[in-house]
Amino acid sequence: MCYRCVHALPAILSRDRRAVTEDTKPMPAFARSHFSRWFARPLIPVIAALLTLSAVTGLLGLQSWRDGEAINLSLEHSGQVIDTLDRLRTIIVDLETERSGYLLTLDPAYLKAYGVSDESVRRETEALQTLVANDPLQSFRAGHLALIISEKLREIDDLVKTAARVSGQAAQAMIRGMDDIRLQIDLLQDVERFQLVGWEKRAGDLERRRTRLGLAAGVIGAVLVGTAMALARIEAKRRRKATEENVQLHSDLLERDRKIRRLVDSNIIGVMIWNLEGCILEANDAFLRIVGYDREDLAARRLHRTMLTPPEWRDLDARNIAELELIGTLAPFEKEYLRKDGSRVSVLIGGAMFEEGTNQGVGFILDLTERKRAEEALRQSEERFRTLVQFSFDVYWETDAQHRFTRQEFAESLVDAPAAESEIGKTRWEVPYLEPDAEAWRKHRETLDAHLSFRDFELARPARDGSKRYVSVSGLPVFDKTGCFIGYRGVGRHITERKRAEEALRSAQAELAHANRVTMMGQLAASIAHEVSQPITAMVTNAEAGLSWLAAQPPNLEQVRQMFDCIVNDGLRAGDVIGRIRALVKKAPQQRVALEINPVVLEVIALTRLEAAKNGVLVRTRLAEDFPPIQADRVQVQQVILNLIINAVEAMGGMGDGVRELLISTGRTASNGVFVSVRDSGPGLDPRTMDRLFDPFFTTKSKGMGMGLAICHSIIEAHGGRMWAGANEPRGAIFQFTLPVEPDETVPSGYVDPMSAV
Ligand code: ADP
């Protein structure tokens, strides 16, 4: 905020709009800077130069005028001197003529003809002396002339008085004596004329100087006037621009004032004016609301910093005020205010001093109550989240956009947790895991690179004792507000115990399944015996026939050879049957192979044929063609079909009357898998126990174990299929299962649903 804006605050806070407008007018500022600005303008030096030039010209002119006057006086003076000398010469000539005439003629008429008196000579001589009194040389000569003249006049007077005696010689002598006077007058006149010429020359020089000076002054004046006019134009332009800028500045200031007023009036933040003594002089409503005081308190000067500040904050307050005094601004800091009712309020406060020399400043106060509340809520939420994580998960983790760990938190209960921070910055696949295999990692990375969520991705890390520690991780991608992917956030569960339990369960399940198969084999002993005895009986019959052909005369070797062929085929058939039975009875690990479902169905039907016949059941098949082979364990799928057929046969075997019919169908599912259904026309299923049908140990038979369907269900699920039961029309039960072409990857191989297994 500029100084002017801050300066306008007191008026805004005191709600005097007129004062603000007037106070923010730009004119006083111009007036203040007016004087200094004039000096900054280029026109001023020009005017000053013009004035200086005028003054110098005036002085020079005055000097010149004075010189001129002095020269004129000198010229006049020299002229007077010369005139006086001329007059004196004339008088001397007249005197000479008068006196010499008289002396030569002794005629007194001569003395009267000129009327030249000694007095007039003396007067002119004195006038001459007065005129040249200031010139020492001329004065000396004039004095000398006066002496000679006076001497001569006296001599002439003497001669005149003795004229009768001296005659013409005396006159000649007198005239000669006059030559001295004339010589002196000439000397004086020459000097004076020389001076006159000097003065005239100086007068000429002066005139020329005046002309040059006038011309120079005219040229300089013209240049200065031209420059002044040019500068005046520039200045006028500048002032016009400055005026425009000032108008703009004024409107900007008004705009800013308007904004500040908006800020103050909006009461979003508290604004107050204070002095360094701590007294709060002005404040807006927001500030008063924050501290819980009213305008009366403010007017009565009851609001004081010390009073508003709790004791433990006063030291910090004092330090901040000292800083404010020093640098003029106060960086925002958090503190607490004591409200009027004694409660406390957290605030963020910042401020600035007004201009230098005042002890007042403005403070801006933000109520932090909501923020503090939000922070506290956030802290508690974080706490709750931590608690939840601690009790629900063993690991909480976060990764960045490059899938590098940025955060890992391990539950205290987690055994063999990696050292804190040891995996930060690494991707999951840079951490030494023992499982899963490369293919699983490849698929997992595809999921991550596609920014998809994932669940229960199982990993195994080596434990200190060399065993494997399993953890199952799940994660969700995180995107910023713009939708840009920024990483993953997820949890992990320690599943080693569960894995072991599953393993134990699987093995128990396998044991159980095996036991179940062996049991069924026991039940099917007659059927098996029949199945095996058939080729053996045929072999015996064929052997006997062969012997007969051998005993014939001649022996029919061709027939014997055919009998041997039959015996070999029957032997192979018997071996085949025994092999299949052995495979069913054998305890072998699960092995998935590409399997055609129809032959499997037919083999089981062959095994159970005698059992069905014994119970009067008619077995029919409806097998679809062109199946894709499925990936499945042959023995397990046979066990399922066997269980369903035996259950159906047993159910129908207990019936009093009615058709006993078993229909085994195969077909294709919508998702390109296969389905197998076993329908019977037995008593059907009890609706009340339908939902417990696949539970372990559920049986309605007196000697039943109740494990057959539970095992079948878990086998089918383990293959990624589904199994269910329902009522057959018009009567009986129908059991069906599906098997996918490829087992679903999300269902781990050999997975046993704990809820449906033992
Ligand atoms: P168990 O044969 O030892 O009883 P199962 O799990 O194979 O064990 O069968 C559980 C129960 O399901 C049977 O006791 C019987 O009540 C019922 N059940 C199975 N198959 C049929 C069927 N085809 N018709 C009627 N009930 C059946």
Side-chain angles (χ1 to χ4, degrees):
M1 189 181 290
C2 68
Y3 158 71
R4 287 199 62 78
C5 303
V6 173
H7 192 67
L9 272 170
I12 292 171
L13 287 170
S14 61
R15 305 183 165 276
D16 184 353
R17 279 173 194 270
R18 196 168 49 84
V20 175
T21 315
E22 283 173 7
D23 200 32
T24 51
K25 276 185 186 169
M27 288 313 290
F30 300 158
R32 274 205 300 279
S33 60
H34 191 71
F35 189 68
S36 56
R37 252 199 241 171
W38 266 101
F39 272 97
R41 288 176 187 170
L43 194 59
I44 305 305
V46 172
I47 290 170
L50 264 176
L51 287 173
T52 312
L53 184 71
S54 305
V56 170
T57 313
L59 280 173
L60 288 175
L62 186 65
Q63 183 67 33
S64 171
W65 178 76
R66 276 194 190 150
D67 288 354
E69 283 298 299
I71 288 168
N72 284 341
L73 275 174
S74 300
L75 282 171
E76 197 182 325
H77 177 261
S78 291
Q80 282 175 356
V81 172
I82 290 167
D83 286 352
T84 307
L85 286 168
D86 278 344
R87 277 196 311 274
L88 199 58
R89 186 194 302 275
T90 308
I91 290 169
I92 294 299
V93 170
D94 287 349
L95 190 75
E96 187 186 4
T97 311
E98 184 190 278
R99 297 293 192 262
S100 66
Y102 174 71
L103 284 175
L104 285 173
T105 62
L106 297 177
D107 183 354
Y110 274 100
L111 294 175
K112 286 187 182 145
Y114 296 97
V116 179
S117 65
D118 291 355
E119 185 53 39
S120 65
V121 174
R122 262 194 298 276
R123 206 169 48 239
E124 289 300 330
T125 308
E126 278 170 15
L128 179 67
Q129 278 181 304
T130 309
L131 279 171
V132 296
N134 290 333
D135 186 339
L137 186 62
Q138 289 290 75
S139 179
F140 174 73
R141 281 184 182 146
H144 184 62
L145 180 65
L147 271 177
I148 298 171
I149 289 173
S150 133
E151 183 67 24
K152 221 37 157 172
L153 284 177
R154 199 173 41 79
E155 276 179 21
I156 291 170
D157 280 348
D158 287 348
L159 279 173
V160 169
K161 281 174 193 165
T162 59
R165 291 189 303 271
V166 290
S167 71
Q169 287 161 342
Q172 293 302 320
M174 183 203 68
I175 290 162
R176 275 196 302 275
M178 284 302 200
D179 286 344
D180 263 0
I181 293 170
R182 270 194 296 274
L183 187 67
Q184 281 302 319
I185 289 171
D186 286 346
L187 259 173
L188 274 162
Q189 250 183 344
D190 285 349
V191 169
E192 209 56 47
R193 281 207 180 90
F194 182 74
Q195 283 186 354
L196 187 68
V197 169
W199 285 119
E200 279 171 355
K201 192 170 171 288
R202 285 177 71 181
D205 288 348
L206 186 69
E207 197 53 43
R208 277 192 297 280
R209 212 166 67 220
R210 273 185 187 163
T211 311
R212 278 201 302 273
L213 191 68
L215 273 172
V219 169
I220 294 171
V223 168
L224 284 173
V225 166
T227 312
M229 281 173 71
L231 289 173
R233 284 187 67 181
I234 293 169
E235 175 63 12
K237 211 168 149 187
R238 194 189 67 74
R239 290 187 72 179
R240 230 182 2 259
K241 199 174 160 207
T243 307
E244 282 166 16
E245 281 173 5
N246 286 335
V247 168
Q248 183 61 40
L249 179 70
H250 188 207
S251 82
D252 285 355
L253 286 171
L254 284 177
E255 176 63 12
R256 248 179 248 177
D257 282 347
R258 200 182 58 71
K259 285 178 182 164
I260 296 169
R261 174 175 295 286
R262 180 85 190 92
L263 176 73
V264 172
D265 288 352
S266 66
N267 284 318
I268 297 166
I269 59 168
V271 183
M272 57 145 172
I273 308 286
W274 37 252
N275 59 23
L276 284 175
E277 287 76 51
C279 186
I280 291 165
L281 310 169
E282 295 289 348
N284 69 348
D285 291 343
F287 176 77
L288 294 173
R289 200 173 51 242
I290 291 170
V291 292
Y293 285 83
D294 55 28
R295 292 222 159 261
E296 263 182 44
D297 297 317
L298 183 70
R301 294 276 192 270
R302 278 198 285 272
L303 271 79
H304 197 278
R305 191 178 57 236
T306 318
M307 190 188 76
L308 288 171
T309 307
E312 69 270 27
W313 289 97
R314 285 184 192 154
D315 277 355
L316 175 71
D317 228 37
R319 281 200 300 278
N320 285 332
I321 294 299
E323 181 190 318
L324 182 64
E325 268 188 273
L326 203 66
I327 59 173
T329 57
L330 185 58
F333 69 102
E334 283 186 28
K335 64 176 274 186
E336 279 185 329
Y337 268 148
L338 270 177
R339 293 165 60 88
K340 193 177 183 181
D341 62 7
S343 61
R344 290 182 178 217
V345 57
S346 289
V347 291
L348 182 75
I349 181 165
M353 296 291 292
F354 289 137
E355 76 249 62
E356 263 179 49
T358 66
N359 76 335
Q360 292 186 7
V362 59
F364 302 94
I365 298 95
L366 199 63
D367 187 347
L368 297 180
T369 311
E370 274 312 309
R371 204 191 80 183
K372 291 274 170 193
R373 200 172 291 153
E375 277 175 5
E376 179 57 21
L378 193 69
R379 198 190 59 74
Q380 283 185 11
S381 161
E382 183 98 342
E383 198 91 325
R384 278 197 292 274
F385 165 75
R386 275 177 192 287
T387 312
L388 194 72
V389 168
Q390 279 287 323
F391 289 103
S392 308
F393 305 100
D394 299 307
V395 187
Y396 172 80
W397 55 269
E398 286 175 10
T399 52
D400 62 13
Q402 281 74 45
H403 311 305
R404 293 177 298 225
F405 284 115
T406 53
R407 190 170 170 187
Q408 275 184 324
E409 286 181 31
F410 300 98
E412 286 154 20
S413 57
L414 185 68
V415 189
D416 284 337
E421 305 279 311
S422 65
E423 293 176 0
I424 298 295
K426 291 181 186 169
T427 59
R428 203 187 295 285
W429 44 92
E430 286 168 345
V431 174
Y433 284 112
L434 301 173
E435 286 181 23
D437 57 18
E439 179 59 13
W441 273 119
R442 191 188 60 74
K443 286 188 177 166
H444 181 61
R445 287 184 65 172
E446 271 178 16
T447 306
L448 295 185
D449 290 338
H451 307 155
L452 300 172
S453 61
F454 62 91
R455 278 179 69 93
D456 300 325
F457 181 64
E458 292 185 6
L459 305 152
R461 62 165 79 238
R464 285 189 205 109
D465 61 1
S467 64
K468 286 180 185 174
R469 293 251 171 236
Y470 287 93
V471 66
S472 163
V473 290
S474 303
L476 287 173
V478 185
F479 302 91
D480 66 11
K481 280 181 195 160
T482 62
C484 187
F485 170 73
I486 53 170
Y488 269 91
R489 224 177 258 153
V491 292
R493 252 194 219 100
H494 185 198
I495 54 164
T496 308
E497 298 312 318
R498 195 189 83 189
K499 277 285 216 191
R500 283 187 187 145
E502 274 173 19
E503 191 51 48
L505 196 65
R506 235 192 326 271
S507 112
Q509 173 88 11
E511 290 288 335
L512 210 60
H514 178 246
N516 176 264
R517 285 199 302 274
V518 172
T519 310
M520 279 192 299
M521 288 301 112
Q523 279 178 273
L524 292 174
S527 296
I528 292 165
H530 173 75
E531 194 75 355
V532 176
S533 70
Q534 259 192 342
I536 291 170
T537 310
M539 281 160 72
V540 171
T541 310
N542 286 331
E544 284 170 355
L547 285 173
S548 303
W549 288 114
L550 267 179
Q553 286 300 330
N556 190 338
L557 291 180
E558 178 51 30
Q559 285 294 339
V560 173
R561 195 186 57 75
Q562 283 180 12
M563 289 305 110
F564 272 118
D565 278 347
C566 289
I567 291 165
V568 168
N569 283 339
D570 288 334
L572 287 174
R573 193 151 63 91
D576 206 23
V577 172
I578 291 164
R580 286 203 300 270
I581 291 163
R582 277 188 62 203
L584 270 172
V585 178
K586 214 170 86 182
K587 204 184 343 173
Q590 192 195 61
Q591 197 181 8
R592 287 189 183 177
V593 291
L595 200 68
E596 304 240 0
I597 196 73
N598 287 348
V600 174
V601 170
L602 292 172
E603 278 171 22
V604 179
I605 290 173
L607 267 180
T608 53
R609 194 177 298 136
L610 198 69
E611 190 69 16
K614 257 185 8 194
N615 288 283
V617 174
L618 176 68
V619 179
R620 289 196 303 121
T621 56
R622 195 186 294 155
L623 307 179
E625 296 298 328
D626 295 333
F627 283 126
I630 53 166
Q631 288 291 320
D633 184 287
R634 186 185 194 93
V635 172
Q636 288 186 347
V637 175
Q638 276 182 337
Q639 183 173 358
V640 172
I641 300 168
L642 195 62
N643 250 312
L644 298 181
I645 292 176
I646 289 175
N647 273 352
V649 170
E650 278 180 355
M652 288 186 285
M655 283 198 330
D657 51 0
V659 183
R660 297 176 181 187
E661 198 176 71
L662 180 66
L663 174 63
I664 300 157
S665 322
T666 58
R668 214 175 176 144
T669 62
S671 57
N672 214 23
V674 298
F675 79 83
V676 178
S677 74
V678 180
R679 298 163 190 265
D680 64 58
S681 54
L685 302 165
D686 185 349
R688 290 167 301 177
T689 55
M690 277 287 275
D691 53 342
R692 293 169 52 210
L693 215 52
F694 297 101
D695 286 356
F697 306 115
F698 172 75
T699 181
T700 55
K701 300 170 192 166
S702 56
K703 291 182 181 165
M705 274 177 66
M707 285 305 298
L709 289 179
I711 290 168
C712 290
H713 192 264
S714 73
I715 287 173
I716 295 302
E717 294 242 307
H719 279 77
R722 225 160 60 74
M723 185 174 204
W724 68 100
N728 190 24
E729 289 299 330
R731 63 195 176 96
I734 172 169
F735 283 81
Q736 302 192 73
F737 67 86
T738 61
L739 286 171
V741 177
E742 281 280 330
D744 189 351
E745 288 304 318
T746 55
V747 180
S749 149
Y751 176 74
V752 178
D753 180 1
M755 297 306 289
S756 64
V758 180

